[in-house]
Amino acid sequence: PESYHDQSSIIQFQGFTRSDPCATEINTGNCVGNQACKDCRPQGDGKIPSGTRFPNGYLKCEGDPVGVQACFGMLENDFYEFRSSSDYLICDGEGTCKGDWNVNNVGSVCCTAAVDDTQACNNAAKLNLTTDPDSGCTQDVCCDCDQACCYESFFTGVNSLSCLGGTSCTQSRFEIQRNLFCSSTSKRTGNTKQGACVSGDDNYPLGFGFVFDDFGDHCVTCEGEDTCQGANFWFEKPGSGISMTCDGKGFATACESSSTVIGLFGDSCLHLTCVELAIAIHSRFVKWPDQTVFAFAPGTKLTQMGTAISWAATSSANPLLWA
């Protein structure tokens, strides 16, 4: 009999098959509305969109108002890949980009919502920023709402990261090249809740926390009640210059916990400024790779094995001290 080509098999070689329910929406760059782009199944190389770029230069996942979710329910090991490294991702609203929403080669990311307790980009989302030097984006990530970018989510290739709002960037892993800003106040809503950038673990190198994986200087700011409490910061490159400020904004709890860890690698220098005695006496500092653990309290001078630490307590009871 005369042979013919099955059209569905041809489509398999064009990045999507008929089994991916999200193809049409994703190609428009708009996954907007209740359960938009739910249970997506990338096919072939997973590159999106089918054309050169998204029509507006970004993929928007929008789930507002409350209770309306978008971009969620992918399989754990399935990934989309942005065809253009100059396109970026917007996740706006409750539960958007949640639960194994996995994308590679993203130019930049913003996870936000207009109401509290909205959990954008959390519950095991995996977002890998592009390494393309010709990208038109700077690979920055903003997490701006309560519980944004938290609970076992993973972000790699991040240039600088901002975490704004209660429990944002909590119990997740971020691989950062430059700077980190954590605040208990959401810029989007203006609301203040305690505990941005909290609760990592010290299972380095695989655990949750903030891993600074590029050479050069880094600036870390923890601002507001309970910010960075119990967090882990690992500065992997030797010779790093780190300026870190812990300011509880009237509360003596920023960076303060026996499980807060700051890991320094060979000949790095940390200048730590604590307002309201934020870090108190509890935090641990780890000199890698020999894993020497040490701690210090206000009033203590310390230099440890080639890694210089400076202490700057702005409380009147604790004058400026240098290692």
Side-chain angles (χ1 to χ4, degrees):
E2 184 177 356
S3 63
Y4 63 91
H5 292 290
D6 184 342
Q7 292 301 310
S8 65
S9 66
I10 294 174
I11 294 175
Q12 291 179 3
F13 294 96
Q14 298 177 346
F16 286 114
T17 73
R18 298 184 191 279
S19 63
D20 188 344
C22 305
T24 300
E25 289 173 297
I26 283 180
N27 279 326
T28 68
N30 288 292
C31 293
V32 177
N34 190 25
Q35 300 191 4
C37 297
K38 174 189 176 184
D39 298 333
C40 299
R41 298 294 181 261
Q43 301 294 321
D45 59 12
K47 290 185 177 181
I48 55 175
S50 58
T52 304
R53 297 193 59 182
F54 292 109
N56 294 314
Y58 57 79
L59 173 62
K60 183 175 186 178
C61 299
E62 183 175 308
D64 282 336
V66 176
V68 177
Q69 295 182 329
C71 299
F72 65 101
M74 291 175 66
L75 298 178
E76 180 180 1
N77 295 317
D78 279 355
F79 279 82
Y80 283 123
E81 179 177 333
F82 277 16
R83 192 174 298 276
S84 170
S85 63
S86 295
D87 285 346
Y88 57 97
L89 174 65
I90 300 172
C91 301
D92 188 351
E94 179 179 8
T96 53
C97 305
K98 177 181 179 180
D100 294 313
W101 180 256
N102 309 322
V103 188
N104 292 327
N105 199 43
V106 185
S108 60
V109 179
C110 189
C111 305
T112 184
V115 294
D116 289 340
D117 303 319
T118 42
Q119 305 181 9
C121 301
N122 72 358
N123 285 14
K126 292 179 283 292
L127 300 175
N128 300 311
L129 282 293
T130 185
T131 58
D132 180 6
D134 296 324
S135 171
C137 301
T138 57
Q139 293 74 65
D140 292 336
V141 173
C142 73
C143 302
D144 185 1
C145 67
D146 291 344
Q147 303 181 55
C149 308
C150 62
Y151 306 139
E152 302 185 16
S153 291
F154 291 81
F155 293 74
T156 67
V158 178
N159 180 55
S160 289
L161 170 67
S162 62
C163 303
L164 312 174
T167 64
S168 57
C169 303
T170 290
Q171 294 180 0
S172 289
R173 179 182 175 88
F174 303 86
E175 298 178 6
I176 305 169
Q177 297 171 357
R178 292 271 68 83
N179 305 316
L180 169 65
F181 181 80
C182 300
S183 173
S184 56
T185 300
S186 166
K187 184 175 182 180
R188 175 82 177 272
T189 67
N191 295 334
T192 297
K193 291 190 176 182
Q194 65 193 64
C197 302
V198 301
S199 299
D201 63 57
D202 58 4
N203 183 29
Y204 181 83
L206 301 177
F208 300 135
F210 305 93
V211 179
F212 295 81
D213 58 4
D214 200 3
F215 291 95
D217 296 334
H218 307 284
C219 181
V220 177
T221 301
C222 301
E223 184 178 278
E225 183 179 4
D226 292 351
T227 53
C228 304
Q229 190 175 86
N232 288 260
F233 306 89
W234 302 97
F235 299 90
E236 290 189 327
K237 300 302 183 183
S240 295
I242 304 126
S243 175
M244 184 170 183
T245 300
C246 298
D247 183 356
K249 293 297 180 181
F251 298 90
T253 55
C255 310
E256 189 275 334
S257 171
S258 60
S259 59
T260 301
V261 175
I262 300 175
L264 305 173
F265 285 66
D267 297 320
S268 293
C269 180
L270 169 66
H271 180 203
L272 179 64
T273 300
C274 295
V275 181
E276 306 288 347
L277 295 184
I279 209 163
I281 63 173
H282 300 297
S283 298
R284 291 178 292 154
F285 297 81
V286 183
K287 167 70 165 58
W288 285 76
D290 59 353
Q291 302 186 37
T292 301
V293 179
F294 54 93
F296 66 92
T300 299
K301 292 183 179 181
L302 176 66
T303 302
Q304 179 72 24
M305 299 179 64
T307 295
I309 291 180
S310 62
W311 171 267
T314 58
S315 168
S316 60
N318 292 271
L320 182 67
L321 297 171
W322 297 94

